[in-house]
Amino acid sequence: MFRCDKCQSSAIIYQKYSGKRLCQAHFDEDVFRKVRESLRQTGLFGRGARVALDLDGGIGGAVLAFVLKDIFRNRRDIDFVAVVIDEGKAPAKPARLIAERLEIPAVERRLPTLPTPGEDASPDRRRESLMALAQENGAGVLATGHNLDAEATDVFISYLRGELNGLLAPGDGLEEGKIPWIKPLRRIPEKEIRLFAIKHGLGRSDIVLEDDFRIEAKRLLCEFDSRHPGTKYSLLRSQEKLSRHKSGGAAGQSL
């Protein structure tokens, strides 16, 4: 049995990229630290805000809600609303149950299971619906549960395709009148999100629908990262550097 590198408790995870074994308490501490870093970078929480949380019935949204609710538990000037977009691909019931468990009010919008002729079938369709529902319910920020694997894969695909817009961090280039879009879990690997969810009773799996190109890109990236730990973080940092350069290097707020 391996011991935690920070105490003598039993380790529940080995982080290949950091070389550390962590127990439950120190693993949780690491998750919260990474989320705080991501929130600080946004510079959005120096004052009050209503935050719309994307709950899609998967573990990403559940962990997002659980962690943010805890981080801001003493901030009376920050409140939350869960936004649930039901496309018929994943049940909305798990999302409602998580919102109820965490005592977060939830609003829901049902979209057609299949797009009508001429309707946008891309991921932007769901994002636009999330954004609209969040704004209609007074939110000043939209938060989604994208993890490190999803973000690094996006950056990797953008490099492969030579798409500059895909290399800009969330919130860059938003249309006038749109609220900021943030991804507080973007520094946390997918398997760590899954482990955190299991340990806190937030679920065990996500329903993910991806096209063949993205599946192949993600597989190649994961294989390379397994041989060269930290590759996914390097891709994320390259995106963050580009975004800071574009925005003039604005500083974040303390939490």
Side-chain angles (χ1 to χ4, degrees):
M1 180 180 295
F2 293 106
R3 298 292 179 181
C4 174
D5 288 335
K6 295 189 175 185
C7 66
Q8 291 302 306
S9 300
S10 299
I12 65 167
I13 187 173
Y14 171 63
Q15 294 177 329
K16 198 172 182 180
Y17 58 87
S18 72
K20 295 179 181 178
R21 294 182 174 86
L22 301 175
C23 65
Q24 174 76 61
H26 285 108
F27 170 64
D28 285 357
E29 182 182 278
D30 190 61
V31 168
F32 276 85
R33 177 184 61 81
K34 289 170 180 172
V35 173
R36 287 182 182 276
E37 287 177 356
S38 293
L39 293 172
R40 189 173 295 114
Q41 276 195 333
T42 69
L44 295 172
F45 297 97
R47 60 181 64 186
R50 164 165 276 206
V51 183
L53 304 173
D54 172 23
L55 292 190
D56 58 2
I59 57 175
V63 170
L64 173 74
F66 182 92
V67 173
L68 292 194
K69 187 75 185 294
D70 187 85
I71 286 177
F72 292 114
R73 64 186 182 278
N74 295 322
R75 289 281 300 272
R76 294 185 179 181
D77 59 338
I78 293 178
D79 69 334
F80 301 97
V81 58
V83 288
V84 181
I85 301 297
D86 184 358
E87 298 178 274
K89 300 173 184 176
K93 184 177 179 180
R96 291 193 295 266
L97 290 175
I98 286 293
E100 182 179 342
R101 170 181 165 181
L102 299 177
E103 299 181 338
I104 299 173
V107 293
E108 185 175 337
R109 174 164 296 164
R110 180 68 183 269
L111 296 182
T113 302
L114 294 174
T116 57
E119 186 178 358
D120 184 8
S122 72
D124 287 341
R125 171 178 178 256
R126 185 175 188 278
R127 188 184 74 179
E128 290 300 319
S129 298
L130 279 172
M131 188 71 70
L133 189 56
Q135 290 181 282
E136 289 168 14
N137 286 274
V141 180
L142 172 64
T144 59
H146 293 76
N147 57 52
L148 174 65
D149 293 57
E151 291 293 276
T153 300
D154 283 345
V155 177
F156 183 45
I157 290 174
S158 294
Y159 277 125
L160 291 176
R161 291 176 170 169
E163 296 175 346
L164 179 61
N165 287 340
L167 295 174
L168 299 179
D172 287 330
L174 282 177
E175 297 176 13
E176 185 177 354
K178 297 292 181 66
I179 62 177
W181 173 30
I182 64 173
K183 302 176 182 179
L185 307 184
R186 66 199 310 260
R187 294 173 178 270
I188 307 173
E190 185 177 276
K191 70 175 184 179
E192 294 186 22
I193 295 291
R194 188 177 301 114
L195 177 60
F196 187 94
I198 291 172
K199 291 296 183 179
H200 291 276
L202 299 171
R204 290 180 174 272
S205 62
D206 266 324
I207 298 175
V208 180
L209 301 175
E210 299 177 325
D211 59 42
D212 291 341
F213 184 83
R214 184 177 178 83
I215 291 172
E216 183 178 6
K218 184 176 180 179
R219 177 181 60 80
L220 290 172
L221 179 57
C222 287
E223 290 174 356
F224 193 84
D225 188 75
S226 69
R227 296 192 297 272
H228 305 279
T231 297
K232 294 173 185 176
Y233 280 107
S234 295
L235 285 171
L236 184 64
R237 283 193 293 270
S238 71
Q239 181 196 56
E240 292 173 344
K241 287 178 181 178
L242 179 61
S243 296
R244 282 198 298 270
H245 177 75
K246 179 178 180 293
S247 64
Q253 300 279 348
S254 62
L255 295 174

